[in-house]
């Protein structure tokens, strides 16, 4: 194997001057902007995750804060910035990629454990220092892990509701999606949203704690419950939203102006009454939840998809916590009609894959196909099938 120093596709920060491949991003100005906002907020260190406010597996360009700040485009990682240091933690899938994309402002830490990040923070942040993060970008579990790692160290974990990366990014940050949010026709769902809501309310009544509300943070939860679809995140048919469902009311937090006429009509059909969906601005969820939590209430939520920011609004004694909300559990069980639709979708997909294999057999021996053109071809074959809305992730294509 070649010695690392002879590779010209990865950075060499020990050379003089340092060598950077053309794939590396110059992050000097971005870090300077972030450090300015950190000073203004009294933050000695700032933690930047790769997640969004809904713990989505995939994120939109607007939420790619880690990518913008570091230049690293892998799907998983955590960055920490102090006034004089910057480090990125990621797993072994991405080490080579990180060496190609990071400039020499960044240390690469070849692990993802919160313990490792905590140890690094204790080394570089003096006692009495503030370690800040956006509580609306961390799961409850991850927040608690940081809290444990810093406990008793004399450093303070300081939640900041202003996202400092967004401030530094400024008007260069991509705009939110403005595309239409539409209803999924009944022929695909097998049950109306009204039936689904009634089912969830029944689960609330049957639960021994008798919760008065269910809070939904996972984007697929709200999409499933109301039979709505969007395309705010590539490869995922979801849109930015939260839902607070009580025994008598339904509050849906989203950008209502994007609803198709039919979708809006469907949501308003039960007004006034317990099946009337009240549309609220997406950004109002915290304020609404804070008001609701003042009453004699119990809020049921799934800890896997709820951020520490939202969780922290509800007093502990008013919480009913389970790993997954009742909507996530109901969604996991497919009705007979959905099962039929799933099988039919797999048949259509299989047709595309068989056409592709046949095409490969003919074209590969002629030397006319590479991994990229192959991936494009199977995408086109899938698009040609009835009801296709595109692939569920970017085709992963390799040969040899």
């Amino acid at each position: 194997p070649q010695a690392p120093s002879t590779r010209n596709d990865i950075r060499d920060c020990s050379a003089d001057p340092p060598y950077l491949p053309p794939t590396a991003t110059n992050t000097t100005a971005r870090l300077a902007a972030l450090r300015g906002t950190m000073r203004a907020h009294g933050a000695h260190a700032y933690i930047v995750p790769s997640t969004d406010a809904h713990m989505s597996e995939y994120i939109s360009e607007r939420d790619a804060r880690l990518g913008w700040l570091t230049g690293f485009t892998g799907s998983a990682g955590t960055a920490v910035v102090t006034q004089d240091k910057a480090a990125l933690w990621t797993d072994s899938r991405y080490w080579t990629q990180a060496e190609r994309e990071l400039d020499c402002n960044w240390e690469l830490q070849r692990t993802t454990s919160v313990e490792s990040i905590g140890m690094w923070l204790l080394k570089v942040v003096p006692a009495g220092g503030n370690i800040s993060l956006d509580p609306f970008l961390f799961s409850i579990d991850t927040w608690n892990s940081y809290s444990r790692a810093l406990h008793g160290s004399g450093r303070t974990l300081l939640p900041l509701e202003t996202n400092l990366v967004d401030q530094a990014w400024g008007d260069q940050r991509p705009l939110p999606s403005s595309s239409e949010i539409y209803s999924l026709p009944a022929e695909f769902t097998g049950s109306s949203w009204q039936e689904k809501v009634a089912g969830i309310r029944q689960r609330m009544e049957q639960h021994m704690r008798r919760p008065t509300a269910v809070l939904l943070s996972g984007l697929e939860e709200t999409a499933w419950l109301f039979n709505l679809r969007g395309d705010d995140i590539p490869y995922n048919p979801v849109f930015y939203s939260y839902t607070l469902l009580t025994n008598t009311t339904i509050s849906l937090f989203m950008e209502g102006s994007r609803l198709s006429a039919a979708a809006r009509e469907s949501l308003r059909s039960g007004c006034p009454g317990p099946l009337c969906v009240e549309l609220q601005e997406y950004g109002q969820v915290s304020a609404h939840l804070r008001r609701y939590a003042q009453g004699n209430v119990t809020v049921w939520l799934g800890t896997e998809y709820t951020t520490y920011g939202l969780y922290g609004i509800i007093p502990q004694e008013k919480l009913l916590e389970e790993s997954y909300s009742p909507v996530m559990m109901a969604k996991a069980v497919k009705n007979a009609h959905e099962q039929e639709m799933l099988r039919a979708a797999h048949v259509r997909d299989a047709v595309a894959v068989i056409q592709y294999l046949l095409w490969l057999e003919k074209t590969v021996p002629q030397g006319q196909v590479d991994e990229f053109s192959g991936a494009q071809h199977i995408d086109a074959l899938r698009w040609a099938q009835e009801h296709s809305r595109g692939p569920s992730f970017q085709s992963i294509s390799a040969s040899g």
Side-chain angles (χ1 to χ4, degrees):
Q2 292 181 305
S5 58
T6 64
R7 287 185 61 161
N8 63 1
D9 67 333
I10 63 172
R11 62 183 185 158
D12 183 356
C13 296
S14 62
D16 187 24
Y19 170 73
L20 292 178
T23 45
T25 298
N26 180 344
T27 62
T28 303
R30 296 172 188 188
L31 281 166
L34 177 61
R35 284 168 173 149
T37 66
M38 286 167 60
R39 281 193 296 275
H41 285 86
H44 299 102
Y46 193 64
I47 307 175
V48 182
S50 54
T51 51
D52 68 7
H54 304 271
M55 302 295 110
S56 307
E57 182 182 1
Y58 291 78
I59 56 171
S60 69
E61 279 186 17
R62 183 176 168 79
D63 283 319
R65 297 174 178 90
L66 185 80
W68 175 79
L69 182 66
T70 64
F72 170 69
T73 59
S75 69
T78 303
V80 183
V81 177
T82 67
Q83 284 303 329
D84 58 353
K85 286 187 166 50
L88 172 79
W89 282 256
T90 190
D91 66 74
S92 57
R93 291 174 299 170
Y94 294 121
W95 292 343
T96 304
Q97 182 177 337
E99 295 286 11
R100 288 174 178 164
E101 294 181 332
L102 298 175
D103 65 5
C104 291
N105 287 313
W106 294 90
E107 298 169 24
L108 175 61
Q109 305 284 339
R110 294 167 188 260
T111 169
T112 54
S113 77
V114 169
E115 291 71 35
S116 155
I117 300 173
M119 299 283 284
W120 189 88
L121 282 165
L122 294 181
K123 277 208 285 277
V124 300
V125 177
N130 287 328
I131 293 161
S132 287
L133 38 70
D134 178 344
F136 290 93
L137 292 181
F138 288 83
S139 71
I140 299 162
D141 285 350
T142 308
W143 175 279
N144 289 338
S145 300
Y146 280 108
S147 193
R148 280 194 298 275
L150 300 171
H151 183 72
S153 69
R155 283 90 174 159
T156 306
L157 198 57
L158 182 70
L160 288 177
E161 298 208 359
T162 305
N163 188 289
L164 303 189
V165 174
D166 293 352
Q167 279 203 324
W169 204 345
D171 58 10
Q172 297 301 298
R173 187 179 174 211
L175 294 169
S177 173
S178 56
S179 61
E180 188 174 73
I181 296 164
Y182 58 95
S183 286
L184 203 59
E187 66 194 89
F188 296 113
T189 61
S191 54
S192 68
W193 71 260
Q194 290 91 340
E195 289 167 329
K196 292 178 179 180
V197 165
I200 301 304
R201 282 176 169 160
Q202 197 176 349
R203 287 181 181 223
M204 289 162 68
E205 274 171 39
Q206 289 165 351
H207 198 288
M208 53 188 282
R209 292 264 322 265
R210 283 299 180 85
T212 60
V214 174
L215 174 65
L216 306 180
S217 287
L219 298 182
E220 62 270 47
E221 297 180 290
T222 290
W224 177 85
L225 185 62
F226 297 109
N227 293 332
L228 294 175
R229 298 292 185 268
D231 62 357
D232 291 13
I233 297 178
Y235 307 109
N236 290 260
V238 295
F239 52 94
Y240 287 103
S241 57
Y242 295 96
T243 301
L244 188 69
L245 173 67
T246 76
N247 300 316
T248 55
T249 64
I250 309 167
S251 300
L252 171 54
F253 301 86
M254 61 174 290
E255 199 183 324
S257 62
R258 292 172 51 202
L259 279 167
S260 71
R264 181 180 293 274
E265 191 61 37
S266 156
L267 296 176
R268 305 298 293 164
S269 60
C271 299
L275 285 172
C276 175
V277 179
E278 292 169 35
L279 293 174
Q280 314 248 13
E281 279 304 308
Y282 173 75
Q284 289 300 306
V285 64
S286 297
H288 185 95
L289 194 57
R290 193 167 277 117
R291 280 194 303 274
Y292 182 76
Q294 287 169 356
N296 181 19
V297 298
T298 303
V299 180
W300 192 359
L301 54 78
T303 54
E304 288 285 317
Y305 295 87
T306 308
T307 61
Y308 184 80
L310 279 184
Y311 171 83
I313 290 171
I314 308 159
Q316 201 62 46
E317 69 279 4
K318 296 180 180 182
L319 271 168
L320 167 54
E321 297 172 49
E322 290 176 6
S323 293
Y324 297 100
S325 78
V327 169
M328 212 51 116
M329 301 304 278
K331 171 181 162 301
V333 181
K334 303 301 177 192
N335 62 41
H337 187 72
E338 285 172 312
Q339 292 179 36
E340 194 186 315
M341 293 286 108
L342 278 168
R343 291 189 191 103
H346 274 284
V347 169
R348 290 194 298 275
D349 193 65
V351 169
V353 173
I354 292 163
Q355 289 173 329
Y356 180 59
L357 294 174
L358 186 66
W359 178 81
L360 281 180
E361 279 178 29
K362 287 179 180 164
T363 50
V364 169
Q366 299 165 12
Q368 290 176 349
V369 60
D370 57 29
E371 285 106 324
F372 184 67
S373 65
Q376 285 185 305
H377 190 70
I378 193 165
D379 284 351
L381 292 171
R382 285 184 160 134
W383 270 116
Q385 289 295 324
E386 193 185 7
H387 304 309
S388 172
R389 308 290 301 203
S392 59
F393 55 87
Q394 197 167 3
S395 287
I396 300 171
S397 176
S399 67

